[in-house]
Structure formats: C-alpha cells, structure tokens
Amino acid sequence: MYRKALNRALQSLGYFFTKKELREIVKDYDTDEDGTISFDEFQELVYDLYDEEEEEEESEEEEEEEEEEEEEEYEPINTEIPISTPTSPAQGSSKVIKKAVFIGINYPGTSAALRGCVNDVRMMKNLLEKRCKMKILTAKIFVDDKKFINRTGQPTKKNLIDAMKWLGSGNKPGDNLFLHYSGHGSQVKAQEDTTEADGMDEAICPSDYSTHGLIIDDDIYKLCVRYLPAGCRLTSVMDCCHSGSIMDLPYNFTGSREGIARARSGGNVTTRGSEINKNNPSGTVFMLSGCKDDQTSADTCTSTGEAGGACTLAICAALGETPKMPLIDLLENMQQSLAAERYTQIPQLSCSHTLKSKQKFSFVGA
C-alpha cells in the first residue's frame, strides 16, 4: 500500500503520524524498496508498534510504583495553619482533560445494527492520548462490546444520563472536559421546546432506546452544559444523524463551501443559530457534528476494512496529520474529505459563543 492507504490503515488502529514520520516508516519497512508497504511489512510494523506500547506501559507502571513508594515514605509536617491544595490538576493545563465520556453504540443483534461506532471510540481516545499527547484523568467509556478494554458499562439511557450529569457538574474554572458520541441520532416533534426553529428536537439513541426512549437535545444541554462555570471548557464530537444542533448551543457554523468562503473573508466564524434559542451558557462549549439537523451521517469503513463513522474518520485523519489547525482549515478538510468519498453530509460547528475565523482548533483551552 502507498503512504495514503498506509496512513488510513494506521489511523483505523489508533496510530497517527505526520507526513515526515510516514516517509521514515516506509523507508524503514519497505524491504524490497518498491516504494510501498506490503501486507507482511505492514504486519511487522504493527507488531513493532504494539511492542513499543507495552514497553511504554511497563515504564509508566514502574514510575507510578516509584512515586507511590516516595509518597509512603513522606511524612507531612504537622501545622495548625490550614494549607490549601490545587482544586484540580486540570486547572491551567492545556494538555490535561479532567473528565471525558466516550460513547459508541453498534446495536448488535437489532435491525438498527451499525458497525463502526465502537471503533470510533477507540480511534478518538487514541487520537487524544497518542497523537495529541493529552492526559485524561478520568474517562468513562460506554460501548456495547463487553470485550472493550476499560469499558465502564453498557450505553443504556440511565448510564448515559448519569455519565452526562457527572460530566457537567462539579467543575471549576480551568477544567477541560470532553464528550464523544457515535451511534444513531434521531428527531422527534418538540413538545414544550421554544429553541427549535423547525419544531423538532434532535436526540441520541441509547442502546435500550426501543424500550426506554431517546435523550433529546434539551436534556443534553441541561446535563452537560447548563451548569458549567465560566472558564471551564467542554469539547464535544457528535457523530450521528441529525446532529447539527444536538446540544442546543446558541451559535452555529455550516462547513459548506459557501460558509467556508464567507468565513475566510474575516470576522466571526459562528453566528447565532436562531433568535428562538436563548441559551446563554457560562462555560466555553465547542461541538463538531457530522451533519446538519436534516441530514444523516454515514457508517463507513477505511480502505483496509476497518469500520467507523464518516465524521470521526474525517476528524482523526485531519487532526492526526496536524493536531492543532485553524478551525476553518479543519472544517474545510472534513468537508472535502467527505465530499471526495461522495457523502452528502456537511459537518457542523456549534459553540457557546462567537469564534474568529483564524482561531485554531484545540481540544482544550479557550
């Protein structure tokens, strides 16, 4: 396989490399010097990567054991003066995510079965930790695959509501949070909602939605966004159908060619999505979604057959190459990537506030 196919194959396994690093990989593993990587050469590369991971994990475990031994030997000084301690290691850190929730639902054994949503969680988590070099202090993972390593539980409605409530509460200025959802999305007629211009609520579908119902955008906003304090940052990726305004954020941007062209002329990227939406969160919230409210998002696969959501694959491909790029470049990259694969879905950007066209994408920070 050539470098482009190799890059996609590695990304589907959760490994992200720059163009320069890929050239070095081809140089090191192309034993027959034909400019491509054969299947056997690819297998050797993957085995080497696995070995490196195991060595890193063993090294980290040894360091943690040494730190624990040092802590046990340390005796704190007794004092009558109360000493305050940092409220959270995430405060003031651009490389630490305090809390993260990952949700991937394949609905196996049902008529609504998908293939790539659990793998999306694996890819997104690896993107954050391995390519973007971020430390996640506490992660809750809800996937309907019992073999998934470090799984928190099934993605039932109750579990997802509890996880979102945990994510959106007890936070402080400087905390960085992350939410990723990959699964089915839906629309239902709004009952008591005055924030929807089209009269429809967008919703996510838990694994038990057929018996326990959906989680609508009003509730996602109340659970994840409403109680965030000023100075707290939540970044969200929602890879599902009808996801354009699925967090009910007040400012929107459409990643179409026309929208990107207008944004490149300068000024703000985002505009208030609807005068009806009066939500005004204190925290900073940033959401990338796979499509507009009236569109569907595709469940697809890479050239090597690894399943995944089109939106998640596009984000991982873009940020895997350049972890921190201007927002407009990211959206244009995603739009072009999806259009090249003949997908009609148009990625969306929603925010709690206006964003400038030259502002760089970041999973954390202001």
Side-chain angles (χ1 to χ4, degrees):
M1 64 183 78
Y2 290 98
R3 279 206 301 269
K4 188 174 182 181
L6 173 64
N7 192 31
R8 289 183 177 179
L10 290 170
Q11 286 176 353
S12 70
L13 296 174
Y15 298 104
F16 301 90
F17 298 98
T18 63
K19 289 181 179 178
K20 183 179 179 180
E21 290 169 337
L22 282 171
R23 283 196 295 269
E24 291 298 320
I25 287 173
V26 173
K27 181 180 177 181
D28 292 341
Y29 287 88
D30 181 19
T31 55
D32 52 9
E33 299 182 349
D34 63 351
T36 65
I37 295 293
S38 67
F39 180 76
D40 291 338
E41 291 166 344
F42 180 72
Q43 274 195 320
E44 183 182 353
L45 167 60
V46 172
Y47 289 146
D48 288 346
L49 290 172
Y50 285 161
D51 290 340
E52 288 177 9
E53 278 189 345
E54 290 179 359
E55 289 175 4
E56 288 177 2
E57 289 175 0
E58 289 175 1
S59 177
E60 288 176 1
E61 289 175 1
E62 290 175 0
E63 288 178 2
E64 289 175 0
E65 289 175 0
E66 289 176 2
E67 288 176 1
E68 289 176 0
E69 289 175 1
E70 289 177 2
E71 289 175 0
E72 290 174 359
E73 294 173 358
Y74 173 73
E75 293 183 7
I77 299 173
N78 292 323
T79 176
E80 295 180 359
I81 302 174
I83 300 175
S84 61
T85 56
T87 55
S88 165
Q91 281 198 306
S93 173
S94 62
K95 284 294 183 180
V96 176
I97 294 176
K98 179 185 177 183
K99 295 188 287 187
V101 173
F102 298 91
I103 304 165
I105 315 176
N106 281 342
Y107 314 91
T110 73
S111 59
L114 298 172
R115 297 183 302 160
C117 300
V118 172
N119 197 43
D120 281 346
V121 168
R122 184 178 292 107
M123 285 191 292
M124 187 59 66
K125 190 169 183 292
N126 284 338
L127 174 70
L128 289 170
E129 294 180 321
K130 296 178 181 178
R131 185 69 187 110
C132 299
K133 307 296 182 185
M134 292 179 183
K135 181 176 182 181
I136 301 175
L137 298 185
T138 307
K140 293 195 174 185
I141 302 172
F142 298 92
V143 294
D144 47 8
D145 179 357
K146 294 180 180 179
K147 296 180 181 180
F148 197 98
I149 298 174
N150 295 325
R151 184 182 84 137
T152 304
Q154 277 287 105
T156 62
K157 183 175 182 179
K158 181 182 184 305
N159 283 347
L160 298 193
I161 288 175
D162 289 344
M164 290 182 187
K165 188 181 295 183
W166 166 80
L167 184 69
S169 61
N171 300 298
K172 298 177 177 62
D175 287 344
N176 293 311
L177 316 172
F178 184 76
L179 171 66
H180 177 228
Y181 173 81
S182 181
H184 278 302
S186 185
Q187 280 186 314
V188 293
K189 186 176 181 180
Q191 299 297 317
E192 301 176 356
D193 192 8
T194 58
T195 68
E196 302 292 346
D198 60 358
M200 301 293 287
D201 278 327
E202 286 64 50
I204 62 172
C205 306
S207 60
D208 58 352
Y209 74 93
S210 61
T211 55
H212 289 76
L214 309 171
I215 301 177
I216 63 173
D217 48 11
D218 302 64
D219 294 327
I220 295 173
Y221 177 85
K222 292 172 185 176
L223 291 168
C224 298
V225 180
R226 176 186 279 183
Y227 299 107
L228 297 180
C232 178
R233 164 70 180 260
L234 167 63
T235 304
S236 175
V237 174
M238 304 296 282
D239 192 354
C240 61
C241 300
H242 312 293
S243 53
S245 64
I246 205 163
M247 292 187 76
D248 264 357
L249 298 174
Y251 292 91
N252 300 326
F253 174 77
T254 300
S256 64
R257 292 178 182 175
E258 295 78 10
I260 289 170
R262 284 195 300 271
R264 285 200 182 281
S265 65
N268 294 331
V269 174
T270 50
T271 56
R272 183 167 279 277
S274 169
E275 290 302 321
I276 300 174
N277 187 335
K278 301 298 182 182
N279 290 336
N280 187 29
S282 299
T284 300
V285 186
F286 178 104
M287 180 186 77
L288 282 170
S289 56
C291 63
K292 297 193 292 185
D293 283 343
D294 60 354
Q295 291 183 319
T296 58
S297 286
D299 186 46
T300 184
C301 62
T302 66
S303 58
T304 59
E306 289 290 333
C311 172
T312 298
L313 287 170
I315 291 174
C316 287
L319 297 178
E321 182 65 37
T322 309
K324 201 166 186 177
M325 64 172 64
L327 283 165
I328 295 303
D329 290 354
L330 173 59
L331 287 164
E332 186 173 37
N333 191 305
M334 291 175 64
Q335 193 268 340
Q336 290 177 347
S337 173
L338 294 172
E341 298 294 333
R342 300 182 182 278
Y343 296 118
T344 57
Q345 65 191 81
I346 301 175
Q348 305 286 292
L349 166 66
S350 297
C351 306
S352 56
H353 61 293
T354 58
L355 293 176
K356 300 295 183 181
S357 59
K358 293 183 180 180
Q359 184 170 335
K360 289 189 176 182
F361 173 82
S362 174
F363 280 111
V364 295

